[in-house]
Amino acid sequence: SVRVSLPTFHATLVYCDNVSVIYLSGNPVQHQRTKHIEMDIYFVREKVARGQALILHVPSRNQIADIFTKGLPRVLFYDFWTSLSVCEPPASTAGV
């Protein structure tokens, strides 16, 4: 198979609710507390340094992906659920 690589003209936006991770992604200085950090942060740092990725903060309240990864309070779950355009099934699947 032939692999074609196309140049990107805009940085990939990555939304993150962890302020420490955002700081680490743009700071090339190693700190004692980050000595054992995962290797993927180096990959992300390189992409940020080259302008290929931009890490932006999004508050946890607006992190819609959390519906797939966390147990959420009912109100927040329904807010996210409705933003995904999920509809109630037409018929009940529960026994009568």
Side-chain angles (χ1 to χ4, degrees):
S1 83
V2 176
R3 185 173 178 189
V4 177
S5 179
L6 299 175
T8 57
F9 299 105
H10 302 284
T12 300
L13 297 178
V14 180
Y15 296 98
C16 181
D17 62 354
N18 187 321
V19 176
S20 296
V21 169
I22 295 169
Y23 173 74
L24 287 172
S25 70
N27 184 5
V29 177
Q30 280 291 10
H31 298 281
Q32 185 63 25
R33 293 183 300 183
T34 62
K35 184 168 65 172
H36 300 291
I37 201 159
E38 299 289 333
M39 287 300 295
D40 55 356
I41 192 66
Y42 298 105
F43 174 80
V44 173
R45 278 186 184 160
E46 178 183 327
K47 297 301 180 190
V48 169
R50 291 182 176 184
Q52 296 171 329
L54 179 61
I55 314 298
L56 300 174
H57 181 256
V58 61
S60 294
R61 172 70 177 93
N62 300 330
Q63 192 70 283
I64 295 175
D66 284 354
I67 194 171
F68 301 112
T69 60
K70 297 179 181 175
L72 299 173
R74 183 178 301 242
V75 172
L76 191 55
F77 175 84
Y78 283 114
D79 284 349
F80 289 167
W81 184 69
T82 55
S83 71
L84 294 172
S85 300
V86 176
C87 301
E88 291 283 344
S92 174
T93 57
V96 178

